[in-house]
Amino acid sequence: MNRIPVGVLGATGTVGQRFVQLLAEHPWFEVAVVTGSDRTVGRPYGEGVNWLMPGRVPARTAELIVQPTDTDLDLPGNPPVVFSALPTGEAKEWEPRFAAAGYAVVTNTSVFRMNPTVPLLIPEINPDHTCLIPTQRAENNWPGFIVASPNCSTTSAILPLKVFQEAFGVEAAMITTLQAISGAGYPGVSSMDIYDNVVPYIGGEDEKLENEPTKLLGDVRDGRMIRAGIAVSAQANRVPVVDGHLASVSVRLGRRATPDEAIAALRDWRPPAICAQLPSSPQELLIYRDEPDRPQPRRDRDAGDGLAWTVGKVRACPVLDVRYVALTHNTLRGAASGALLNAELLAVQGYIGN
Protein backbone atom coordinates (compact mmCIF):
# COMPACT_ATOMS: atom_id res chain seq x y z
CA MET A 1 0.00 0.00 0.00
CA ASN A 2 1.08 3.60 -0.46
CA ARG A 3 2.31 5.05 2.82
CA ILE A 4 -0.14 7.41 4.48
CA PRO A 5 1.28 10.89 5.22
CA VAL A 6 0.78 11.81 8.89
CA GLY A 7 1.52 14.67 11.23
CA VAL A 8 3.00 14.52 14.72
CA LEU A 9 1.71 17.19 17.10
CA GLY A 10 4.18 18.02 19.84
CA ALA A 11 6.93 16.23 17.95
CA THR A 12 9.80 17.74 19.95
CA GLY A 13 8.76 16.23 23.32
CA THR A 14 9.76 12.76 24.46
CA VAL A 15 6.58 11.00 23.31
CA GLY A 16 6.62 13.00 20.07
CA GLN A 17 10.20 11.90 19.47
CA ARG A 18 9.21 8.30 20.04
CA PHE A 19 6.46 8.72 17.41
CA VAL A 20 9.02 10.11 14.97
CA GLN A 21 11.39 7.24 15.66
CA LEU A 22 8.74 4.54 15.26
CA LEU A 23 7.22 6.07 12.14
CA ALA A 24 10.56 6.42 10.33
CA GLU A 25 10.50 2.86 9.00
CA HIS A 26 6.80 2.10 9.30
CA PRO A 27 5.38 0.26 6.27
CA TRP A 28 2.05 2.12 6.27
CA PHE A 29 2.75 5.65 7.55
CA GLU A 30 5.31 8.37 6.93
CA VAL A 31 5.85 11.64 8.79
CA ALA A 32 4.99 14.58 6.55
CA VAL A 33 4.40 17.34 9.16
CA VAL A 34 5.78 18.03 12.63
CA THR A 35 4.66 20.69 15.08
CA GLY A 36 6.53 21.97 18.10
CA SER A 37 7.09 24.75 20.60
CA ASP A 38 7.71 28.39 19.78
CA ARG A 39 11.43 27.75 20.30
CA THR A 40 11.54 25.27 17.44
CA VAL A 41 8.93 26.63 14.99
CA GLY A 42 10.47 27.62 11.67
CA ARG A 43 13.61 25.54 12.17
CA PRO A 44 14.44 22.15 10.66
CA TYR A 45 13.32 19.46 13.07
CA GLY A 46 16.83 18.00 13.29
CA GLU A 47 18.21 21.34 14.46
CA GLY A 48 15.44 22.30 16.85
CA VAL A 49 14.81 19.04 18.68
CA ASN A 50 16.79 17.97 21.75
CA TRP A 51 16.90 14.36 20.54
CA LEU A 52 16.67 11.90 23.44
CA MET A 53 16.00 8.65 21.56
CA PRO A 54 18.74 6.15 20.67
CA GLY A 55 20.58 6.85 17.43
CA ARG A 56 20.15 9.87 15.20
CA VAL A 57 17.07 11.83 14.17
CA PRO A 58 15.54 10.03 11.13
CA ALA A 59 17.01 11.77 8.10
CA ARG A 60 13.77 12.59 6.26
CA THR A 61 12.09 13.96 9.37
CA ALA A 62 15.20 15.94 10.33
CA GLU A 63 14.69 18.08 7.20
CA LEU A 64 11.06 18.96 7.94
CA ILE A 65 10.42 22.51 9.10
CA VAL A 66 8.70 22.57 12.48
CA GLN A 67 5.21 24.08 12.18
CA PRO A 68 3.12 25.78 14.86
CA THR A 69 0.26 23.62 16.11
CA ASP A 70 -2.72 24.70 14.02
CA THR A 71 -5.39 23.08 11.90
CA ASP A 72 -4.15 24.55 8.61
CA LEU A 73 -1.37 21.99 8.25
CA ASP A 74 -0.54 21.09 4.66
CA LEU A 75 -1.35 17.43 5.17
CA PRO A 76 -3.08 15.31 2.51
CA GLY A 77 -5.50 12.52 3.28
CA ASN A 78 -9.20 11.86 3.67
CA PRO A 79 -9.18 12.27 6.59
CA PRO A 80 -5.69 13.63 7.28
CA VAL A 81 -4.10 11.83 10.24
CA VAL A 82 -2.25 13.36 13.18
CA PHE A 83 -0.63 11.69 16.19
CA SER A 84 -0.95 13.86 19.28
CA ALA A 85 1.81 14.04 21.88
CA LEU A 86 0.76 17.49 23.02
CA PRO A 87 0.98 18.63 26.64
CA THR A 88 -2.31 18.20 28.49
CA GLY A 89 -3.40 21.83 28.34
CA GLU A 90 -2.69 22.14 24.63
CA ALA A 91 -4.33 18.78 23.89
CA LYS A 92 -7.54 19.89 25.59
CA GLU A 93 -7.68 22.91 23.28
CA TRP A 94 -6.33 21.54 20.02
CA GLU A 95 -7.46 17.94 19.69
CA PRO A 96 -11.19 18.88 19.37
CA ARG A 97 -10.21 21.64 16.94
CA PHE A 98 -8.42 19.15 14.74
CA ALA A 99 -11.37 16.74 14.86
CA ALA A 100 -13.73 19.60 14.00
CA ALA A 101 -11.48 20.50 11.06
CA GLY A 102 -11.74 16.96 9.69
CA TYR A 103 -8.61 15.28 11.05
CA ALA A 104 -8.33 11.81 12.52
CA VAL A 105 -6.62 12.47 15.86
CA VAL A 106 -4.75 9.49 17.31
CA THR A 107 -3.83 10.69 20.78
CA ASN A 108 -1.55 9.50 23.51
CA THR A 109 -2.80 12.20 25.89
CA SER A 110 -5.20 11.69 28.80
CA VAL A 111 -7.68 14.49 28.17
CA PHE A 112 -10.47 12.61 26.35
CA ARG A 113 -9.86 9.02 27.46
CA MET A 114 -13.01 8.82 29.55
CA ASN A 115 -15.21 10.79 27.15
CA PRO A 116 -18.06 8.34 26.46
CA THR A 117 -17.87 8.80 22.66
CA VAL A 118 -14.07 8.62 22.34
CA PRO A 119 -12.79 5.06 21.79
CA LEU A 120 -10.20 4.12 24.41
CA LEU A 121 -8.33 1.51 22.42
CA ILE A 122 -5.95 -1.39 22.70
CA PRO A 123 -6.50 -3.24 19.40
CA GLU A 124 -5.83 -6.68 20.87
CA ILE A 125 -8.42 -6.06 23.60
CA ASN A 126 -11.31 -4.00 22.23
CA PRO A 127 -11.01 -3.36 18.47
CA ASP A 128 -14.80 -3.17 18.16
CA HIS A 129 -14.90 0.04 20.24
CA THR A 130 -14.07 2.04 17.12
CA CYS A 131 -17.80 1.79 16.38
CA LEU A 132 -18.12 4.77 18.77
CA ILE A 133 -16.62 6.98 16.03
CA PRO A 134 -19.92 7.60 14.15
CA THR A 135 -21.58 8.56 17.46
CA GLN A 136 -18.73 10.93 18.27
CA ARG A 137 -18.95 12.55 14.85
CA ALA A 138 -22.71 12.92 15.02
CA GLU A 139 -22.89 14.33 18.56
CA ASN A 140 -20.12 16.89 17.94
CA ASN A 141 -20.89 17.59 14.28
CA TRP A 142 -17.28 16.75 13.48
CA PRO A 143 -16.07 15.41 10.13
CA GLY A 144 -13.03 14.07 11.96
CA PHE A 145 -12.67 12.15 15.21
CA ILE A 146 -10.45 11.35 18.21
CA VAL A 147 -9.27 7.93 19.39
CA ALA A 148 -7.23 7.57 22.58
CA SER A 149 -4.71 5.20 24.12
CA PRO A 150 -5.03 4.28 27.80
CA ASN A 151 -2.61 5.29 30.52
CA CYS A 152 0.64 3.32 30.56
CA SER A 153 -0.06 1.94 34.04
CA THR A 154 -3.54 0.76 33.03
CA THR A 155 -1.98 -0.96 30.04
CA SER A 156 0.37 -2.98 32.21
CA ALA A 157 -2.50 -4.58 34.18
CA ILE A 158 -5.25 -4.90 31.60
CA LEU A 159 -4.57 -7.88 29.34
CA PRO A 160 -4.82 -10.61 32.04
CA LEU A 161 -8.00 -8.92 33.27
CA LYS A 162 -9.40 -9.20 29.74
CA VAL A 163 -8.48 -12.89 29.58
CA PHE A 164 -10.08 -13.61 32.96
CA GLN A 165 -13.17 -11.58 32.06
CA GLU A 166 -13.70 -13.74 28.97
CA ALA A 167 -12.97 -17.02 30.75
CA PHE A 168 -14.53 -16.55 34.19
CA GLY A 169 -15.97 -13.05 34.51
CA VAL A 170 -14.39 -10.35 36.67
CA GLU A 171 -16.14 -8.57 39.53
CA ALA A 172 -13.35 -6.66 41.30
CA ALA A 173 -9.61 -6.03 41.21
CA MET A 174 -6.97 -4.56 43.47
CA ILE A 175 -4.03 -3.11 41.50
CA THR A 176 -0.66 -1.95 42.82
CA THR A 177 1.77 -0.59 40.24
CA LEU A 178 5.55 -0.16 40.36
CA GLN A 179 6.14 2.44 37.65
CA ALA A 180 9.33 3.37 35.84
CA ILE A 181 10.76 6.87 35.97
CA SER A 182 10.52 7.28 32.18
CA GLY A 183 6.77 7.51 32.67
CA ALA A 184 7.32 10.96 34.15
CA GLY A 185 8.78 12.26 30.89
CA TYR A 186 11.97 14.30 30.58
CA PRO A 187 13.69 15.49 32.78
CA GLY A 188 11.24 13.56 34.94
CA VAL A 189 11.77 12.78 38.61
CA SER A 190 14.64 14.37 40.50
CA SER A 191 17.45 11.92 41.24
CA MET A 192 17.36 13.08 44.86
CA ASP A 193 13.70 11.97 45.04
CA ILE A 194 13.95 8.59 43.34
CA TYR A 195 17.45 7.28 44.11
CA ASP A 196 17.31 4.75 46.99
CA ASN A 197 13.59 5.42 47.26
CA VAL A 198 10.02 4.56 46.26
CA VAL A 199 7.54 7.41 45.81
CA PRO A 200 3.99 6.20 46.66
CA TYR A 201 2.26 8.96 44.70
CA ILE A 202 1.84 9.79 41.02
CA GLY A 203 -0.68 12.55 40.46
CA GLY A 204 -3.98 11.31 39.03
CA GLU A 205 -2.65 7.82 38.45
CA ASP A 206 -4.80 5.98 40.99
CA GLU A 207 -7.95 7.44 39.45
CA LYS A 208 -6.88 6.45 35.93
CA LEU A 209 -6.18 2.91 37.10
CA GLU A 210 -9.60 2.71 38.72
CA ASN A 211 -11.59 4.14 35.80
CA GLU A 212 -9.92 3.19 32.52
CA PRO A 213 -10.23 -0.62 32.91
CA THR A 214 -14.01 -0.33 33.19
CA LYS A 215 -14.10 1.37 29.77
CA LEU A 216 -11.57 -0.92 28.09
CA LEU A 217 -13.47 -3.99 29.34
CA GLY A 218 -16.91 -2.57 28.61
CA ASP A 219 -19.21 -2.95 25.62
CA VAL A 220 -20.51 -0.66 22.90
CA ARG A 221 -24.23 -1.15 22.34
CA ASP A 222 -26.19 0.83 19.77
CA GLY A 223 -23.33 3.31 19.51
CA ARG A 224 -23.17 3.88 23.29
CA MET A 225 -20.40 3.02 25.73
CA ILE A 226 -21.45 0.66 28.52
CA ARG A 227 -18.67 0.44 31.08
CA ALA A 228 -17.93 -2.89 32.75
CA GLY A 229 -19.33 -3.31 36.24
CA ILE A 230 -15.96 -3.99 37.83
CA ALA A 231 -14.86 -2.41 41.12
CA VAL A 232 -11.18 -1.43 41.05
CA SER A 233 -8.97 -0.21 43.89
CA ALA A 234 -5.55 1.05 42.83
CA GLN A 235 -2.31 2.39 44.27
CA ALA A 236 0.49 3.71 42.03
CA ASN A 237 4.15 3.93 43.01
CA ARG A 238 7.20 5.40 41.27
CA VAL A 239 10.27 3.17 41.54
CA PRO A 240 13.94 3.58 40.48
CA VAL A 241 13.61 1.63 37.22
CA VAL A 242 14.20 3.33 33.87
CA ASP A 243 11.59 1.54 31.70
CA GLY A 244 8.87 -1.02 32.37
CA HIS A 245 5.70 -0.73 34.47
CA LEU A 246 4.91 -3.71 36.67
CA ALA A 247 1.41 -4.33 38.06
CA SER A 248 0.59 -6.63 40.95
CA VAL A 249 -3.10 -7.51 40.76
CA SER A 250 -5.60 -9.51 42.81
CA VAL A 251 -8.92 -10.38 41.15
CA ARG A 252 -12.36 -11.51 42.27
CA LEU A 253 -13.74 -13.68 39.49
CA GLY A 254 -17.32 -14.14 38.40
CA ARG A 255 -16.91 -17.86 38.97
CA ARG A 256 -14.21 -19.50 41.02
CA ALA A 257 -11.14 -20.84 39.23
CA THR A 258 -7.98 -22.50 40.40
CA PRO A 259 -4.57 -21.00 39.62
CA ASP A 260 -3.99 -23.80 37.12
CA GLU A 261 -7.23 -22.93 35.34
CA ALA A 262 -6.26 -19.25 35.30
CA ILE A 263 -2.81 -20.05 33.87
CA ALA A 264 -4.40 -22.28 31.23
CA ALA A 265 -6.71 -19.41 30.24
CA LEU A 266 -3.72 -17.11 29.81
CA ARG A 267 -1.78 -19.65 27.76
CA ASP A 268 -4.78 -20.50 25.55
CA TRP A 269 -5.97 -16.92 24.91
CA ARG A 270 -5.61 -15.52 21.40
CA PRO A 271 -6.13 -11.92 20.29
CA PRO A 272 -8.92 -10.99 17.87
CA ALA A 273 -8.28 -12.16 14.32
CA ILE A 274 -7.98 -8.61 13.00
CA CYS A 275 -4.74 -8.17 14.94
CA ALA A 276 -2.96 -10.51 12.52
CA GLN A 277 -3.29 -7.70 9.96
CA LEU A 278 -1.52 -5.11 12.14
CA PRO A 279 2.18 -4.99 11.28
CA SER A 280 3.27 -3.82 14.75
CA SER A 281 1.31 -6.37 16.80
CA PRO A 282 3.76 -9.00 18.11
CA GLN A 283 3.36 -12.62 17.12
CA GLU A 284 3.56 -13.65 20.78
CA LEU A 285 1.46 -11.05 22.57
CA LEU A 286 1.03 -12.64 26.00
CA ILE A 287 4.04 -14.43 27.47
CA TYR A 288 3.50 -16.47 30.62
CA ARG A 289 6.64 -17.09 32.71
CA ASP A 290 6.70 -20.01 35.15
CA GLU A 291 9.72 -18.78 37.10
CA PRO A 292 8.84 -17.54 40.61
CA ASP A 293 10.80 -14.30 40.11
CA ARG A 294 9.43 -13.19 36.71
CA PRO A 295 8.47 -10.87 35.12
CA GLN A 296 11.18 -8.32 35.83
CA PRO A 297 11.46 -4.94 34.07
CA ARG A 298 15.10 -5.25 33.01
CA ARG A 299 14.68 -8.79 31.70
CA ASP A 300 11.18 -8.69 30.19
CA ARG A 301 10.24 -5.15 29.12
CA ASP A 302 11.58 -5.57 25.56
CA ALA A 303 9.65 -8.77 24.78
CA GLY A 304 7.94 -8.53 21.42
CA ASP A 305 9.91 -5.36 20.60
CA GLY A 306 8.43 -3.78 23.72
CA LEU A 307 4.85 -4.56 22.69
CA ALA A 308 4.17 -7.85 24.52
CA TRP A 309 2.76 -8.45 27.99
CA THR A 310 4.81 -10.69 30.27
CA VAL A 311 2.75 -12.29 33.04
CA GLY A 312 3.70 -14.50 35.96
CA LYS A 313 3.07 -15.50 39.58
CA VAL A 314 -0.55 -16.55 39.11
CA ARG A 315 -1.53 -17.87 42.53
CA ALA A 316 -4.57 -18.25 44.73
CA CYS A 317 -5.48 -15.06 46.58
CA PRO A 318 -6.64 -15.54 50.20
CA VAL A 319 -8.74 -12.36 50.02
CA LEU A 320 -10.13 -12.43 46.48
CA ASP A 321 -9.69 -15.37 44.04
CA VAL A 322 -6.46 -15.17 42.02
CA ARG A 323 -3.49 -12.83 41.78
CA TYR A 324 -0.84 -12.18 39.15
CA VAL A 325 2.02 -9.89 38.14
CA ALA A 326 2.14 -8.31 34.67
CA LEU A 327 4.70 -6.13 32.91
CA THR A 328 4.76 -3.93 29.81
CA HIS A 329 7.20 -1.41 28.36
CA ASN A 330 5.61 1.89 29.33
CA THR A 331 7.05 4.14 26.60
CA LEU A 332 6.34 1.61 23.83
CA ARG A 333 3.22 -0.52 24.43
CA GLY A 334 2.05 2.01 27.02
CA ALA A 335 2.59 5.10 24.88
CA ALA A 336 3.68 5.78 21.29
CA SER A 337 3.68 2.20 19.99
CA GLY A 338 0.21 1.64 21.43
CA ALA A 339 -1.10 4.71 19.61
CA LEU A 340 0.59 3.55 16.41
CA LEU A 341 -1.22 0.22 16.71
CA ASN A 342 -4.48 2.16 17.05
CA ALA A 343 -3.74 3.90 13.75
CA GLU A 344 -3.01 0.56 12.10
CA LEU A 345 -6.38 -0.70 13.35
CA LEU A 346 -8.13 2.39 11.95
CA ALA A 347 -6.47 1.75 8.58
CA VAL A 348 -7.57 -1.89 8.49
CA GLN A 349 -11.11 -0.93 9.48
CA GLY A 350 -11.26 1.77 6.79
CA TYR A 351 -11.49 4.85 9.03
CA ILE A 352 -8.25 6.27 7.57
CA GLY A 353 -6.34 5.79 4.36
CA ASN A 354 -9.28 5.67 1.97
Side-chain angles (χ1 to χ4, degrees), residues 175-347:
I175 303 174
T176 300
T177 60
L178 307 176
Q179 297 183 211
I181 55 177
S182 58
Y186 184 86
V189 184
S190 164
S191 61
M192 292 296 291
D193 288 331
I194 199 63
Y195 182 75
D196 190 32
N197 200 20
V198 172
V199 181
Y201 173 75
I202 305 172
E205 209 80 351
D206 292 0
E207 293 79 9
K208 293 170 186 175
L209 278 162
E210 290 174 352
N211 288 315
E212 291 179 12
T214 65
K215 189 174 182 184
L216 285 160
L217 300 177
D219 293 317
V220 178
R221 302 173 193 164
D222 299 323
R224 300 292 172 182
M225 186 71 236
I226 309 297
R227 290 166 63 175
I230 300 172
V232 181
S233 175
Q235 297 188 88
N237 304 272
R238 188 75 71 193
V239 298
V241 170
V242 175
D243 291 314
H245 285 359
L246 187 144
S248 178
V249 185
S250 292
V251 186
R252 179 185 296 126
L253 302 173
R255 68 174 181 85
R256 300 295 291 270
T258 67
D260 285 344
E261 289 173 323
I263 292 170
L266 292 168
R267 292 191 187 281
D268 293 343
W269 182 84
R270 296 293 181 270
I274 196 171
C275 297
Q277 302 178 56
L278 310 183
S280 297
S281 189
Q283 185 172 0
E284 188 176 13
L285 181 70
L286 193 163
I287 301 166
Y288 188 81
R289 302 295 303 241
D290 290 306
E291 301 93 325
D293 62 349
R294 303 287 283 272
Q296 297 178 18
R298 194 171 64 191
R299 295 182 177 183
D300 297 306
R301 62 194 171 206
D302 294 319
D305 293 328
L307 285 167
W309 278 259
T310 304
V311 184
K313 293 193 72 176
V314 171
R315 296 169 293 159
C317 175
V319 177
L320 301 179
D321 291 319
V322 295
R323 49 188 164 169
Y324 66 88
V325 174
L327 175 81
T328 55
H329 195 302
N330 55 294
T331 69
L332 292 172
R333 169 57 73 169
S337 292
L340 185 55
L341 273 162
N342 288 347
E344 292 174 3
L345 176 67
L346 293 171

Side-chain angles (χ1 to χ4, degrees), residues 3-151:
R3 295 173 76 193
I4 301 169
V6 301
V8 180
L9 310 180
T12 55
T14 53
V15 175
Q17 291 179 36
R18 183 69 83 176
F19 275 131
V20 168
Q21 180 192 49
L22 293 169
L23 288 162
E25 302 298 329
H26 195 276
W28 292 3
F29 307 112
E30 62 179 342
V31 179
V33 174
V34 291
T35 79
S37 63
D38 292 342
R39 180 187 65 82
T40 58
V41 167
R43 301 170 63 186
Y45 181 79
E47 294 180 9
V49 67
N50 177 26
W51 188 250
L52 301 171
M53 299 295 110
R56 297 179 180 274
V57 181
R60 293 187 63 182
T61 310
E63 299 174 356
L64 296 176
I65 302 300
V66 179
Q67 305 294 316
T69 298
D70 207 333
T71 57
D72 62 354
L73 302 178
D74 184 15
L75 188 64
N78 184 25
V81 180
V82 290
F83 292 89
S84 176
L86 293 170
T88 300
E90 294 181 32
K92 187 175 183 179
E93 174 187 359
W94 282 105
E95 288 178 0
R97 288 194 185 185
F98 274 92
Y103 290 79
V105 181
V106 182
T107 181
N108 190 67
T109 69
S110 64
V111 179
F112 298 103
R113 286 176 184 154
M114 296 310 295
N115 183 299
T117 67
V118 172
L120 183 66
L121 289 177
I122 296 177
E124 297 94 341
I125 289 176
N126 61 340
D128 58 310
H129 285 199
T130 54
C131 66
L132 285 169
I133 290 172
T135 302
Q136 180 190 148
R137 282 171 153 166
E139 289 195 357
N140 294 284
N141 195 27
W142 289 345
F145 58 88
I146 301 170
V147 299
S149 301
N151 183 263

